[in-house]
Amino acid sequence: MLGCIERYNPDHLKTLEAYVEEQAKNNTYDLEANLAVLKLYQFNPHMLNHEITYTILLKCLTNLPHTDFVMAKCLLLPQQMKDETVQTIIELADILERTDFVLFWQRADVNKSLFRHITGFHDSIRKFVCHVIGITFQTIRRDLLKELLGGIEDSTLDKWVKQNGWKNQGNLVMIASQDEKIKTKNITEKIEFDNLGGLMAQCL
């Protein structure tokens, strides 16, 4: 359906919308199909479904740090951009991109009805949080890590620590030695006198 001109056949929209709902239910993800839905809304504004739009945008958030959300946002119609719920989702995306994770979980708690139908949403966001932590910290306090992951319990924290290959050290969690990821290079430049002769002559 997506591999030819039939991709933009409005007769297929209901099937694609059902596929979006299936992704939300089964914790799967198909960016190409979701973008095709938004493109069909552009061509057929009278067929716009706001609920499907919300689901597509939220599913894009689950694939951070990839730029899926930006691509989806660029396909939104003016009436979609003016929608209050769309604005809320965009705000949540901005907060995540600023890596203000504590604020994100606060806002997510206020708007938790948005995510109820999306299986695995919170864990997908936690996976992104762990990605950011993994490239930022060498060690981090356990209490802070729990807060950044959404106020999780100790047992759940231990699961994420093990899953990411981190190590508990009392009240700290050892993430990684960032020094090992940075390879220094000694750069030696060799400039022959003959190469500078012409330049020096011009300066006289």
Side-chain angles (χ1 to χ4, degrees), residues 147-175:
E147 193 175 5
L148 294 177
L149 290 172
I152 58 178
E153 300 292 331
D154 284 329
S155 57
T156 306
L157 175 63
D158 290 336
K159 183 196 76 171
W160 285 101
V161 168
K162 181 179 179 181
Q163 184 173 311
N164 286 279
W166 301 337
K167 295 180 180 178
N168 285 307
Q169 294 184 340
N171 293 326
L172 295 175
V173 174
M174 177 68 180
I175 304 298

Side-chain angles (χ1 to χ4, degrees), residues 64-76:
L64 285 168
H66 298 288
T67 58
D68 301 9
F69 188 86
V70 175
M71 289 188 286
K73 182 181 173 183
C74 289
L75 293 176
L76 296 182

